[in-house]
Every structure is written in C-alpha cells, then in structure tokens.
C-alpha cells in the first residue's frame, strides 16, 4: 500500500520558518512529480508548490520567494521550506505524488502561523 507521510508541521510565529517533509513508500519515487497543496478552513485546496521528476519547480504566486520545494530521491522524501510565514499561510498542508497514471495524497499536516 502506497503511503505518503507528512511531518514537521506545528505552530510558528509570523515571520518565522518551518520545514515540512513528506516521506513516500512503495512507489518508484524518482518517477513521480511531487507537490504540496494546502487547504485553509472554509476554503478550497490550492496548489502551493510542485517539483517534477526532473527537478523543475513551480510555485503559487502567494508563496513565490518565501517557500522552497526540494526532493531527495534517495530518501524518497519531498520537502517544503517555508520562510517569512504569514497568518494567511495557516492551513492543512498535503503532499501529492503524481504520474500520468497514478495520484496519491498524504493525510495532511497542520501548519498554524500565529502570535
């Protein structure tokens, strides 16, 4: 059974930093495009950042210049480094693994930005 397990969330003050991780199992990780999405309370899930199997990255305008997505194929893990966090970044963050055939989601992890 494929698993995507997020970790590293929590409470952080505005302006602070946090790194969330997503560890994958039972997939050929290097073949998958990996993404981070988020869903704030009462809002739809939205794209935060993606990194292709080839390492090409793309970011939502709202996080461009503040967040960095990266991957370690040897560890089957994708990371999201979040800097200069704002209260509006508060959401449940989800990891997604995708090929043209398969799509898998993690269970989500809470990130709260508050003083």
């Amino acid at each position: 059974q494929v698993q995507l397990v997020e970790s590293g969330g929590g409470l952080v003050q505005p302006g602070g930093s946090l790194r969330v991780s997503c560890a994958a199992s039972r997939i050929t990780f290097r073949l998958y495009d990996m993404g981070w999405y988020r869903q704030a309370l009462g809002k739809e899930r939205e794209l935060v950042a993606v990194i292709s199997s080839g390492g090409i990255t793309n970011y939502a305008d709202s996080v461009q210049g503040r967040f960095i997505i990266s991957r370690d194929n040897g560890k089957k893990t994708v990371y999201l480094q979040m800097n200069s966090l704002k209260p509006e970044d508060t959401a449940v963050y989800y990891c997604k693994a995708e090929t043209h055939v398969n799509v898998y989601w993690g269970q989500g992890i809470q990130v709260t930005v508050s003083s």
Side-chain angles (χ1 to χ4, degrees), residues 14-57:
S17 297
L18 200 64
R19 189 178 79 160
V20 291
S21 303
C22 171
S25 60
R26 298 185 178 89
I27 62 171
T28 308
F29 183 82
R30 59 181 174 81
L31 299 180
Y32 281 74
D33 297 335
M34 300 300 298
W36 285 99
Y37 292 70
R38 67 186 181 188
Q39 187 167 16
L41 197 62
K43 295 187 177 182
E44 294 186 354
R45 192 173 298 188
E46 63 176 2
L47 171 70
V48 176
V50 294
I51 182 166
S52 72
S53 58
I56 298 172
T57 60

Side-chain angles (χ1 to χ4, degrees), residues 67-81:
F67 290 12
I68 300 170
I69 188 171
S70 61
R71 63 191 296 159
D72 185 330
N73 288 343
K75 295 182 178 180
K76 293 188 174 182
T77 300
V78 62
Y79 305 96
L80 185 68
Q81 176 68 43

